[in-house]
Amino acid sequence: MTDRQAAMRLYLAVGCGAAIGSLARFLSGHVIVSLLGLNALWSTAFVNVVGSWIIMAFATLTGPDGRLMVAPASRNFVMAGFCGGLTTFSAMSLDTFILLFEGDLPLAATYLISVVGLSLAAAWLGYLMASRLNRLPGGDQATR
């Protein structure tokens, strides 16, 4: 495979992952707001927390000491593509500013601190869980 073909494969993997992640974000918002009747803040918080868990768990499982050996295109499909499309820092920022513009400083601060804190906690949990999986015996690594 030429360098150009490898680059195109990587770009395609990231683009497809982003499309799937964005669709998952949209659908989760639909379920959380329309079907469960919760505020849209919950939707943004949910995708950011779940995405933080996914990216850290996958990074740990597929890193140099990880249990899973995947090709760079596959790793970027999940991490840059899917997780990049799923999570949304910009929507969290918008939500926070809307709350500020509405004069609800306590809710804006609580929301921002909670989403960031829960996202970091989810990433830490993803790391712990994946690290434990990496240490299990019998984990023959697949080839890249």
Side-chain angles (χ1 to χ4, degrees):
M1 180 182 313
T2 67
D3 287 345
R4 181 175 164 87
Q5 288 172 324
M8 291 305 293
R9 183 176 182 178
L10 183 63
Y11 299 151
L12 184 61
V14 171
C16 288
I20 294 168
S22 294
L23 182 59
R25 179 175 71 220
F26 175 79
L27 292 174
S28 69
H30 177 70
V31 167
I32 290 170
V33 174
S34 298
L35 299 180
L36 297 179
L38 298 173
N39 186 297
L41 297 176
W42 287 101
S43 174
T44 303
F46 174 78
V47 296
N48 285 333
V49 171
V50 169
S52 295
W53 183 88
I54 292 170
I55 199 168
M56 183 59 88
F58 194 77
T60 303
L61 287 171
T62 62
D65 297 329
R67 185 176 195 86
L68 303 175
M69 303 297 272
V70 298
S74 298
R75 197 163 199 257
N76 280 283
F77 171 86
V78 173
M79 294 174 65
F82 180 79
C83 290
L86 177 68
T87 60
T88 174
F89 186 84
S90 58
M92 182 183 68
S93 299
L94 176 64
D95 292 342
T96 303
F97 270 99
I98 288 172
L99 292 170
L100 288 172
F101 294 150
E102 292 173 349
D104 200 342
L105 177 62
L107 183 56
T110 300
Y111 173 71
L112 183 61
I113 291 167
S114 297
V115 173
V116 171
L118 289 171
S119 294
L120 290 171
W124 179 66
L125 184 60
Y127 171 77
L128 291 177
M129 293 171 73
S131 293
R132 184 163 290 193
L133 283 173
N134 283 341
R135 290 191 304 269
L136 288 176
D140 295 339
Q141 295 181 337
T143 59
R144 288 188 188 256

